[in-house]
Amino acid sequence: MQQPTRRSFLQSTACGFGGLALADLLAAQSPLAPRTPMIPARAKRVIFLYMRGGPSHMDTFDYKPRLQQDDGKDLPFALPRLQVLQRRNLQKLMGSPFKFRRHGQSGLWCSEVFPLTAQHMDKLCVVKSMHTEGVDHGQATIKLHTGAESFVRPSLGSWVVYGLGSENQNLPGFITICPLRSDAGTRSYGSAFLPAAYGGTPIGFEEIPSSQATIRDLSNPRLPADVQRLQLDLLQSMNRAHLQRATADRQLEGSIHSFELGFRMQGAAPALMDLTRETSATLRLYGIGTQPTDEFGRQCLMARRFAEAGVRFIQLTYTSRKLRGISDWDQHTNLKGDLEFNALATDRPVAALLTDLHARGLLEDTVVWWGGEFGRTPVSEGRGGGVSGRDHNPYGFTHWLAGGGVKPGISHGDTDDFGYHAVSSKVHMHDMHATLLHLLGIDHERLTYRYAGRDFRLTDVYGNVVHEILR
């Protein structure tokens, strides 16, 4: 049998010169093609700094003089009626071991554990009245990332890309750096019933050091790019022929676009993840090359690079287990030592990200969002041989936002005198999601997807935009 020539191979697969235009054709038809916002947009992208474990708000940004004054006394009201809290050995009120000061022209309060972030308080909108459902990490983490605490739903980043597409057709619209394997796991960045193209692309995982984090199968050292292109063109021609006969096959459509995006990513993503291209001054700014800031510093610098390249939603996960083996921000015991360590590991990288985005003009159209799945209790928890910690608290906690159309230098809402319950200008997790979508130019009530006979949306039938914090 005569071996086919390259010319006959191209002709028989109908690639030829038509195949050369495939990338442009698919880009025009791509589910990631940029879409016009529904309403005027204040921001183009989000960088979510996920503080896994639930940072203690009364030890970071929510100063409570009454809690300090009543340290060691009984909580003057009953614990919330949740069995899981009633089972735990919650003790007396525990004032913060850290000092607080007002900062900047805004006079916003910040704990001494964040000396560098404190220099940016005039850029921050500190939301002190967050509340949610879920007293355990898994439930609350899923709520934070998907808006639903029990059902499988698309993640926030997936909804964003579904609504707006991507600014860069050579990169995913949604990237998650060192995401979770536990708690919410892949649900924290999955697309669920949305088409697969809207799912997050993971770079590494929570147990992998950021310096080793990469996108799986990003390169093929066995074959040069032109040969890979020929192979992909052949595969895509067969896939498109199959799709034409099938008339509708969302899985196949997703495969066609993901294969094409994967090929294009080989040329774009490695350069963005190569931090050696940055100056030594920039690396020092983020704390890269020193401990304990190197780990999260790499994530923050990579986030800035992807934001600059047009990625729509960039999600970072801080976990200290790979650094020290402690339980992230989940300080049931040894609150002082463990929170100090986590703050030290994240303060410089976060401050550097704000500095860098501002200097490059990116903070104007980038929303930086910092927070965890819930807060902590104002009463101490009697675990660990008397070493004081705080338990989970979904009833009142703090997130902050910066950039992208958010009012800078303000505090919104409040918890009670002890930091247990949100009591004024309350912001539910649904409200936070609705507000983030609004900043991006998406009406959360109109962003729907029909599945299993009904229209779904990120906020379900809930959520109100918090207009008071918008410029």
Side-chain angles (χ1 to χ4, degrees):
M1 179 179 178
Q2 185 177 2
Q3 294 295 318
T5 64
R6 182 174 182 274
R7 181 184 300 276
S8 63
F9 172 80
L10 289 172
Q11 289 175 337
S12 64
T13 57
C15 292
F17 290 107
L20 298 177
L22 177 63
D24 290 337
L25 176 63
L26 287 176
Q29 300 173 341
S30 170
L32 299 180
R35 285 185 273 286
T36 303
M38 300 175 178
I39 55 180
R42 294 171 169 88
K44 293 181 178 178
R45 67 196 69 85
V46 172
I47 298 176
F48 177 30
L49 310 176
Y50 173 44
M51 301 291 111
R52 189 256 190 101
S56 173
H57 49 295
M58 67 280 295
D59 296 298
T60 52
F61 297 102
D62 192 6
Y63 178 47
K64 292 298 173 187
R66 176 76 185 276
L67 180 62
Q68 300 301 104
Q69 176 187 323
D70 290 356
D71 181 45
K73 296 181 181 179
D74 291 329
L75 184 70
F77 50 79
L79 287 174
R81 294 182 61 82
L82 276 180
Q83 188 178 5
V84 68
L85 284 178
Q86 293 170 342
R87 285 201 309 265
R88 291 176 178 168
N89 187 21
L90 299 181
Q91 305 294 316
K92 306 288 186 179
L93 287 168
M94 182 172 70
S96 176
F98 307 112
K99 295 178 181 178
F100 277 73
R101 284 182 47 224
R102 293 184 182 274
H103 294 270
Q105 294 182 347
S106 61
L108 292 179
W109 290 100
C110 184
S111 166
E112 62 183 334
V113 299
F114 292 130
L116 298 177
T117 303
Q119 298 174 19
H120 295 273
M121 296 307 292
D122 286 343
K123 296 185 181 76
L124 306 189
C125 169
V126 183
V127 182
K128 296 180 179 178
S129 54
M130 291 294 301
H131 63 109
T132 188
E133 285 81 39
V135 75
D136 285 323
H137 292 287
Q139 194 177 22
T141 301
I142 293 170
K143 185 79 171 186
L144 169 67
H145 287 93
T146 72
E149 66 269 22
S150 54
F151 299 106
V152 177
R153 296 286 186 266
S155 59
L156 170 59
S158 295
W159 279 110
V160 167
V161 181
Y162 166 61
L164 292 175
S166 178
E167 289 188 296
N168 189 331
Q169 294 302 298
N170 295 323
L171 292 169
F174 175 16
I175 282 175
T176 177
I177 305 174
C178 296
L180 301 172
R181 285 196 195 269
S182 54
D183 293 337
T186 57
R187 291 168 68 176
S188 67
Y189 58 92
S191 60
F193 49 71
L194 290 178
Y198 303 121
T201 297
I203 301 178
F205 287 97
E206 60 176 307
E207 75 280 5
I208 298 172
S210 298
S211 58
Q212 300 172 24
T214 188
I215 299 173
R216 286 185 57 190
D217 305 319
L218 187 59
S219 62
N220 183 351
R222 296 180 294 106
L223 295 175
D226 58 342
V227 177
Q228 291 182 56
R229 180 73 258 180
L230 284 172
Q231 287 184 331
L232 180 59
D233 287 349
L234 173 61
L235 177 63
Q236 297 289 59
S237 68
M238 292 187 289
N239 281 336
R240 290 194 309 278
H242 183 103
L243 183 62
Q244 192 173 17
R245 292 193 299 271
T247 65
D249 188 329
R250 290 193 180 276
Q251 269 193 316
L252 183 55
E253 287 179 8
S255 295
I256 290 172
H257 292 295
S258 66
F259 290 163
E260 188 63 37
L261 175 59
F263 180 82
R264 296 198 303 272
M265 280 172 58
Q266 292 182 91
L272 289 172
M273 294 188 294
D274 182 6
L275 302 187
T276 63
R277 296 169 180 249
E278 296 287 342
T279 66
S280 57
T282 299
L283 297 178
R284 285 195 304 271
L285 178 69
Y286 282 86
I288 295 171
T290 58
Q291 295 300 340
T293 52
D294 181 85
E295 174 64 31
F296 200 60
R298 290 178 180 275
Q299 290 197 42
C300 287
L301 180 52
M302 210 181 302
R304 189 270 287 165
R305 292 171 67 86
F306 278 115
E308 216 167 17
V311 175
R312 192 70 75 177
F313 197 94
I314 305 150
Q315 184 167 293
L316 284 58
T317 300
Y318 171 74
T319 172
S320 58
R321 294 179 183 179
K322 69 185 83 170
L323 299 175
R324 191 180 171 192
I326 64 175
S327 299
D328 308 311
W329 297 95
D330 190 26
Q331 281 111 30
H332 292 280
T333 62
N334 195 29
L335 170 76
K336 186 176 187 300
D338 288 355
L339 191 146
E340 280 179 327
F341 179 84
N342 288 334
L344 182 63
T346 58
D347 182 40
R348 180 174 294 279
V350 171
L353 178 63
L354 293 172
T355 298
D356 207 1
L357 290 172
H358 178 73
R360 294 168 184 268
L362 288 168
L363 194 58
E364 281 297 308
D365 56 10
T366 302
V367 181
V368 180
W369 173 31
W370 182 99
E373 61 267 37
F374 42 47
R376 315 301 296 188
T377 58
V379 286
S380 65
E381 187 174 2
R383 293 191 193 181
V387 180
S388 294
R390 301 191 191 276
D391 203 356
H392 306 167
N393 178 16
Y395 307 107
F397 56 100
T398 296
H399 280 192
W400 60 252
L401 303 168
V406 176
K407 287 181 181 177
I410 68 165
S411 172
H412 178 79
D414 209 350
T415 50
D416 60 47
D417 288 342
F418 305 98
Y420 216 138
H421 296 89
V423 293
S424 66
S425 301
K426 297 171 67 172
V427 178
H428 191 272
M429 198 64 73
H430 290 307
D431 304 327
M432 177 60 75
H433 289 163
T435 304
L436 289 165
L437 292 180
H438 183 86
L439 287 166
L440 292 166
I442 299 173
D443 182 341
H444 75 106
E445 294 184 345
R446 291 163 53 196
L447 183 70
T448 62
Y449 187 85
R450 192 154 191 85
Y451 172 73
R454 62 160 283 194
D455 290 334
F456 286 86
R457 71 186 205 207
L458 170 65
T459 52
D460 197 39
V461 296
Y462 309 101
N464 295 291
V465 176
V466 188
H467 290 282
E468 297 85 350
I469 70 173
L470 306 182
R471 287 190 291 184

